[in-house]
Amino acid sequence: MDKARILLLDAAPGELMARELDRLLGHGLEITLNLRRVTDHTGTRETWGDRVEFTDFDAFDESALTAATVRGGEGYDALKSRAGVPLRARFLAAATDPALARPLRVIGRAGAGFDHVELPAAARHGVTVTHTPGSNAGAVAEFALAQLLALTRDLPAHNATAHRGVWRAPAAPAAQLSELTLGIAGLGRTGSALAGRAAALGMDVQGLSRQPRAGHRPARSAPSRPCSRPATWSPCTCRSRRRPGG
């Protein structure tokens, strides 16, 4: 049976690229790597040239993307993107042309969301679209929390003065996290991960969600009290204050 062909539209950053290529090769895939976002072209070719094919084009240029995908009448079984390269109806029609040896069947995104793909067109052409929701939720939540700490403690200024050999005590003590309220607009995987981390540090967390998520614990109304734990079970607004029950 022929190996499935996959086009990686943008490489994973740093050491992740090697791990990604090893894993895909381990699944028996025939890989073409777009070098446009790769820093070390020469080193990459030397390391992977006997196992991976290469191309180099701007994936955000639809004409260049289409040309690379259908070149030589070969086509690809699957495309994978990390940066959310736009894949619209015109491209999808060309990539799924039955005249190609490998009409497109799968689009995968290493990230959350389908907004980069014209889904009705993909459905018409029988293309399955996948993504990896929550794969980096913890990392993004921790980054947001780090930014919060940097702002509340004025860490950039302290870092700058320390590098100048100066250390000054603040004129007034900074507010502790347990004295602050954190509002989170959107309680998806990332928002929920941030809520849990912030609550563990004693913050009063209030969240606003467009719709309740499946599997959340039921809430018990407490109109006179603000949310004192992560608002991941029901939305909290200025009109409706809730806290987890059970």
Side-chain angles (χ1 to χ4, degrees):
M1 182 177 178
D2 291 340
K3 294 181 178 181
R5 299 187 75 217
I6 179 172
L7 173 59
L8 302 183
L9 297 178
D10 38 29
E15 296 179 357
L16 287 178
M17 184 181 73
R19 290 166 55 186
E20 180 177 47
L21 292 176
D22 269 330
R23 186 170 298 175
L24 293 173
L25 289 168
H27 287 296
L29 300 174
E30 183 180 319
I31 302 170
T32 298
L33 173 64
N34 183 15
L35 292 171
R36 183 54 58 100
R37 296 183 66 187
V38 175
T39 303
D40 183 6
H41 287 202
T42 301
T44 300
R45 289 182 182 277
E46 290 176 352
T47 302
W48 300 97
D50 59 337
R51 290 171 288 172
V52 173
E53 296 181 3
F54 301 102
T55 185
D56 189 351
F57 65 94
D58 180 4
F60 288 87
D61 180 338
E62 185 176 65
S63 61
L65 171 61
T66 302
T69 303
V70 304
R71 182 172 292 119
E74 287 293 323
Y76 291 92
D77 298 287
L79 299 181
K80 183 178 180 183
S81 172
R82 305 184 70 87
V85 172
L87 303 174
R88 304 308 182 200
R90 183 181 301 178
F91 166 77
L92 292 168
T96 57
D97 188 337
L100 293 171
R102 302 294 184 90
L104 183 63
R105 296 183 293 163
V106 178
I107 294 170
R109 181 178 185 180
F114 300 124
D115 56 316
H116 66 300
V117 180
E118 194 166 327
L119 293 178
R124 285 198 306 271
H125 294 291
V127 177
T128 300
V129 183
T130 66
H131 67 150
T132 56
S135 58
N136 62 344
V140 175
E142 289 171 9
F143 180 78
L145 191 58
Q147 295 284 5
L148 176 67
L149 288 166
L151 290 172
T152 57
R153 291 289 174 171
D154 200 16
L155 295 185
H158 286 302
N159 178 65
T161 56
H163 277 78
R164 295 197 301 267
V166 178
W167 181 262
R168 292 194 181 97
Q176 299 184 44
L177 293 184
S178 59
E179 300 174 318
L180 301 177
T181 298
L182 175 63
I184 302 176
L187 289 173
R189 291 174 175 83
T190 301
S192 297
L194 175 58
R197 286 160 172 76
L201 294 174
M203 297 194 75
D204 174 17
V205 180
Q206 298 187 30
L208 175 65
S209 181
R210 287 181 296 181
Q211 57 186 11
R213 292 179 57 199
H216 285 164
R217 293 171 56 188
R220 183 173 60 222
S221 178
S224 62
R225 299 183 59 182
C227 295
S228 57
R229 293 173 60 187
T232 53
W233 292 276
S234 66
C236 292
T237 68
C238 58
R239 296 181 181 179
S240 174
R241 306 277 190 153
R242 298 174 185 263
R243 62 192 298 267

